[in-house]
């Protein structure tokens, strides 16, 4: 799409009075065209932000829906006996869309004026370099991961679990679409960790472009959907970067109800000991496989299934206890 500077000259002169289009990249030119075409930066940013979120979230979920319907991939399914049905996928989609339009859309629309008030660049060009964006995105990952680690544990205590977080734990074997299957209050609470990082950074530095935030959001959505996919491939990121959480780490949280509260990195759970049951389970699986090295594949699968059933039974008991505590008054519980 070629940019026609004469189409809306007044808006172009107002928004980009000193910008030389010829010096911009193709993407930067389309960025300028979008803002001038819409004519209102708040509407342009809000619309683009919401469309980006929806396209990336559902776009990243579609491959997992396809994989769930291909038996070949069951060999890498963490809980191979639990494949989401079409009805479950559709129910999940409806709940997710409700949260997107009632909670996330208003917050996304308010993001632009809030960000600009803190000094964030939005419609401006050129974009920052990758060298500038990379450390900023890492800081946002770091901040969100610790925020989520704390908030997620809080959601497992007392009435917060019974009345809010329980919805997200409907599926003991999660799937991609279920990444944002949650109570609207949880969407707001945990979503705050994603947005507060950029806003706080901008407040202290006044040096952040919204295109960096978009890159962060895209990567964060990929992380969330993939962590709920239920698959662990040999090429999964945690097999390359050991401290990355991934589906193998988070799937245990849904299966066992406890442990593994972080999102992107494993270090907080390791430091605070909230991965003890997970590490014990992995050690038991490893030891059992070693002891059964001459056994048939069917026997090994049966062993793994039995261990999963034990962990899930313990998780059901732990969830019932959490709900019971949620009915009590003034009780606080540490969940590990």
């Amino acid at each position: 799409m070629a940019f026609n500077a004469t189409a809306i000259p007044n808006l172009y002169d107002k928004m980009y009075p000193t910008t030389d289009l010829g010096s911009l990249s193709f993407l930067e030119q389309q960025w300028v065209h979008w803002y001038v075409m819409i004519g209102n930066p708040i509407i342009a940013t809000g619309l683009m932000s919401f469309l980006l979120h929806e396209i990336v979230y559902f776009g990243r979920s579609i491959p997992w829906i396809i994989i769930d319907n291909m038996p070949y991939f069951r060999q890498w399914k963490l809980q191979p006996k639990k494949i989401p049905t079409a009805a479950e996928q559709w129910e999940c989609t409806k709940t997710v869309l409700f949260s997107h339009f009632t909670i996330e859309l208003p917050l996304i629309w308010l993001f632009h004026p809030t960000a600009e008030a803190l000094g964030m660049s939005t419609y401006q060009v050129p974009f920052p370099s990758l060298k500038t964006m990379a450390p900023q995105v890492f800081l946002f990952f770091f901040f969100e991961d610790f925020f989520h680690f704390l908030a997620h544990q809080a959601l497992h205590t007392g009435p917060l679990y019974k009345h809010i977080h329980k919805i997200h734990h409907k599926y003991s074997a999660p799937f991609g679409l279920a990444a944002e299957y949650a109570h609207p209050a949880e969407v707001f609470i945990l979503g705050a960790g994603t947005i507060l990082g950029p806003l706080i950074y901008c407040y202290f530095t006044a040096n952040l472009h919204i295109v960096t935030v978009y890159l962060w959001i895209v990567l964060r959505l990929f992380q969330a959907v993939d962590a709920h996919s239920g698959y662990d491939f040999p090429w999964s990121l945690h097999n390359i970067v050991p401290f990355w959480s991934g589906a193998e780490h988070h799937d245990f949280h849904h299966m066992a109800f406890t442990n593994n509260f972080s999102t992107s990195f494993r270090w907080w759970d390791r430091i605070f000991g909230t991965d003890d049951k997970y590490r014990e389970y992995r050690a038991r699986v490893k030891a059992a496989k070693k002891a059964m090295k001459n056994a048939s594949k069917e026997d090994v699968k049966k062993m793994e299934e039995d261990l999963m059933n034990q962990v899930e039974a313990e998780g059901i008991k732990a969830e019932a206890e959490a709900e019971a505590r949620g009915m009590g008054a003034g009780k606080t519980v540490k969940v590990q």
Side-chain angles (χ1 to χ4, degrees):
M1 183 189 299
F3 179 79
N4 182 3
T6 63
I8 321 176
N10 291 336
L11 281 173
Y12 174 75
D13 291 340
K14 180 180 179 181
M15 297 176 69
Y16 304 97
T18 61
T19 302
D20 176 16
L21 276 176
S23 66
L24 301 178
S25 68
F26 174 79
L27 288 178
E28 289 167 338
Q29 289 187 28
Q30 303 317 303
W31 189 270
V32 171
H33 179 79
W34 170 261
Y35 275 97
V36 172
M37 179 182 69
I38 299 298
N40 184 312
I42 294 178
I43 295 176
T45 303
L47 183 59
M48 179 162 50
S49 300
F50 187 69
L51 288 174
L52 175 75
H53 181 276
E54 300 307 285
I55 291 170
V56 174
Y57 183 81
F58 289 105
R60 184 54 185 160
S61 297
I62 288 172
W64 295 117
I65 295 173
I66 296 171
I67 287 173
D68 275 331
N69 287 279
M70 299 177 70
Y72 170 76
F73 290 101
R74 303 285 161 78
Q75 59 187 304
W76 294 298
K77 177 75 172 168
L78 289 160
Q79 299 183 62
K81 295 291 185 180
K82 296 182 179 180
I83 306 298
T85 65
E88 287 174 328
Q89 300 265 15
W90 175 235
E91 179 189 356
C92 178
T93 299
K94 290 188 292 184
T95 300
V96 167
L97 283 172
F98 177 80
S99 291
H100 284 185
F101 280 92
T102 59
I103 303 297
E104 296 191 23
L105 179 58
L107 292 176
I108 285 173
W109 222 266
L110 290 171
F111 179 77
H112 175 271
T114 304
E116 277 208 330
L118 295 174
M120 186 180 297
S121 300
T122 52
Y123 63 85
Q124 293 86 348
V125 287
F127 297 152
S129 66
L130 184 59
K131 184 179 179 180
T132 298
M133 291 191 289
Q136 294 173 340
V137 171
F138 175 77
L139 283 174
F140 302 156
F141 263 111
F142 186 88
F143 176 86
E144 190 281 334
D145 188 63
F146 188 58
F147 181 97
H148 192 107
F149 173 74
L150 297 176
H152 192 182
Q153 285 195 82
L155 287 170
H156 270 258
T157 61
L160 290 178
Y161 178 76
K162 180 176 176 61
H163 300 294
I164 297 177
H165 192 50
K166 180 178 172 62
I167 292 176
H168 185 66
H169 273 271
K170 176 177 181 178
Y171 305 106
S172 61
F175 47 92
L177 271 173
E180 293 186 355
Y181 179 83
H183 189 285
E186 178 173 344
V187 174
F188 179 83
I189 293 168
L190 296 183
T194 301
I195 294 301
L196 281 177
L199 292 179
I200 293 172
Y201 180 88
C202 191
Y203 175 79
F204 284 104
T205 69
N207 179 30
L208 183 65
H209 197 290
I210 199 171
V211 76
T212 307
V213 179
Y214 284 169
L215 175 60
W216 152 237
I217 295 297
V218 168
L219 294 175
R220 173 71 178 98
L221 286 172
F222 266 63
Q223 179 276 325
V225 173
D226 290 359
H228 288 81
S229 68
Y231 289 87
D232 182 35
F233 299 108
W235 55 87
S236 293
L237 187 57
H238 85 92
N239 290 317
I240 303 169
V241 182
F243 56 80
W244 185 255
S245 295
E248 188 266 351
H249 193 255
H250 191 66
D251 198 86
F252 181 85
H253 175 77
H254 278 263
M255 181 173 67
F257 180 74
T258 61
N259 271 205
N260 299 1
F261 295 100
S262 59
T263 51
S264 300
F265 309 117
R266 297 178 180 230
W267 49 54
W268 298 122
D269 284 303
R270 178 60 63 88
I271 291 171
F272 291 99
T274 51
D275 66 348
D276 54 344
K277 294 181 177 63
Y278 160 76
R279 288 187 287 115
E280 178 186 344
Y281 167 72
R282 285 298 166 199
R284 289 167 63 192
V285 172
K286 184 178 179 180
K289 284 185 175 181
K290 184 177 180 180
M292 299 177 67
K293 60 182 179 181
N294 296 321
S296 66
K297 288 184 178 180
E298 289 72 19
D299 288 340
V300 173
K301 286 183 179 179
K302 179 65 167 55
M303 173 274 296
E304 291 180 320
E305 185 177 340
D306 288 342
L307 289 178
M308 285 182 192
N309 290 338
Q310 291 177 28
V311 169
E312 187 172 1
E314 293 170 1
I316 291 172
K317 180 180 178 181
E319 181 180 17
E321 291 173 353
E323 286 193 73
R325 288 192 294 264
M327 298 176 66
K331 296 181 180 179
T332 58
V333 181
K334 181 180 179 182
V335 178
Q336 291 189 349

